[in-house]
Amino acid sequence: MTRLTANDFDPEVLQLFDGYVHGRLSRREFLSRASRYAAGGMTAAGLLAQLSPSFAAPLVPASDSRLTTRYQDFPSPQGYGTVRGYLAVPANAKGKLPAILVVHENRGLNPHIEDVTRRLALEGFIAFAPDALHPLGGYPGDEDKARTLFQTLDQGKSRADFVAAAGALKGLPQSTGKVGVVGFCYGGAIANYLATVLPDLGAAVPFYGSQPNAAEVPKIRAPLMIHDAAKDARILAGWPAYEAALKEHKIDYQHFVYEGAEHGFNNDTTPRYDEAAAKLAWGRTVAFFKAKLG
């Protein structure tokens, strides 16, 4: 079967889908407004199904013998009490390793983010992906249900859980104590946030995440590598103010905008995936972490 790409959809449908997945449109509103673009026997529900993730073919299978993986709990007294996530470690690691916190999109710890976590472990890192939905029973196995659950989280507690997870990674016996964070969409916003509250954070890589308030920028100590999509007007609208603050306070940052790419371009389970942009961004990200975390 030929893999669908963003070019197979009307740009307005992509905008409607972005509104739907980020809670600005209900499912009913998406279906109603997208119906005008359904043609050739396709329905609006069919368009939604085509745009939604398919987790059938992870890049790194969960059974990969080069890795040791498990679900791990850490205490989070300022958050929901316990933060639970997916931990991946190189199976034959010699010596201590730097650690990377992987922060998911607004659907919790789904199979794609577990795959990303394994990819980082294969690069020689301890990788841990918390599930913000753990207090509500965990990722439910359905993206629509996950989005609905996500909207009920206390974000103050959820942010505290991510802070606790970063601290736990720093203290792991097999960790060098150097910790970085990478996040996607919601997770990109969390990566930006953690850079403002963790003065010992080693590096932060937000993918198409909303920016922190300019007043918080002076607190950033970690070097940043920021990945954005050229067709992501919503996120890019916040960039000028963020960039001005980063420059004013002499923060170490790199910013890459990927021409022709849509929001979510790194997620290879959806048609918005852009193979060229994703491979370039991922290569830059891994090299950045290796340079900054050792």
Side-chain angles (χ1 to χ4, degrees), residues 33-251:
R33 294 171 63 176
S35 62
R36 74 187 71 173
Y37 301 97
M42 177 61 66
T43 65
L47 286 173
L48 181 56
Q50 288 182 335
L51 285 162
S52 297
S54 172
F55 303 125
L59 186 63
V60 182
S63 59
D64 194 307
S65 62
R66 295 171 293 175
L67 300 174
T68 299
T69 62
R70 66 178 183 272
Y71 294 97
Q72 178 76 43
D73 292 349
F74 294 116
S76 178
Q78 304 304 315
Y80 274 104
T82 300
V83 55
R84 181 177 176 81
Y86 184 71
L87 183 70
V89 182
N92 299 313
K94 294 179 173 58
K96 296 186 176 184
L97 300 174
I100 297 177
L101 188 70
V102 184
V103 189
H104 53 63
E105 299 157 308
N106 67 337
R107 277 96 71 196
L109 181 57
N110 63 22
H112 168 64
I113 294 299
E114 293 187 353
D115 186 16
V116 170
T117 305
R118 293 190 294 269
R119 296 176 201 180
L120 282 167
L122 284 182
E123 295 290 346
F125 300 101
I126 299 166
F128 180 66
D131 186 359
L133 290 177
H134 170 62
L136 305 178
Y139 174 71
D142 178 281
E143 295 283 285
D144 286 344
K145 291 179 181 177
R147 272 189 290 270
T148 300
L149 280 174
F150 209 84
Q151 294 172 7
T152 69
L153 285 170
D154 180 327
Q155 285 299 323
K157 290 183 178 180
S158 293
R159 288 186 168 200
D161 284 346
F162 289 115
V163 171
L169 289 181
K170 182 178 180 181
L172 285 177
Q174 65 268 47
S175 169
T176 61
K178 294 182 179 180
V179 177
V181 58
V182 61
F184 307 90
C185 188
Y186 168 83
I190 293 295
N192 278 321
Y193 166 74
L194 291 176
T196 70
V197 297
L198 297 176
D200 57 351
L201 187 66
V205 181
F207 277 74
Y208 33 82
S210 59
Q211 304 85 3
N213 188 291
E216 301 301 309
V217 171
K219 301 174 185 177
I220 297 175
R221 297 293 178 269
L224 307 175
M225 176 177 278
I226 301 160
H227 301 296
D228 285 327
K231 293 186 176 180
D232 192 356
R234 178 175 57 85
I235 293 299
L236 289 177
W239 173 247
Y242 192 26
E243 181 180 40
L246 292 170
K247 288 181 174 179
E248 178 185 355
H249 298 286
K250 298 179 172 57
I251 307 301

Side-chain angles (χ1 to χ4, degrees), residues 264-278:
F265 69 80
N266 191 70
N267 188 332
D268 55 0
T269 70
T270 82
R272 294 194 293 179
Y273 173 62
D274 185 307
E275 182 177 12

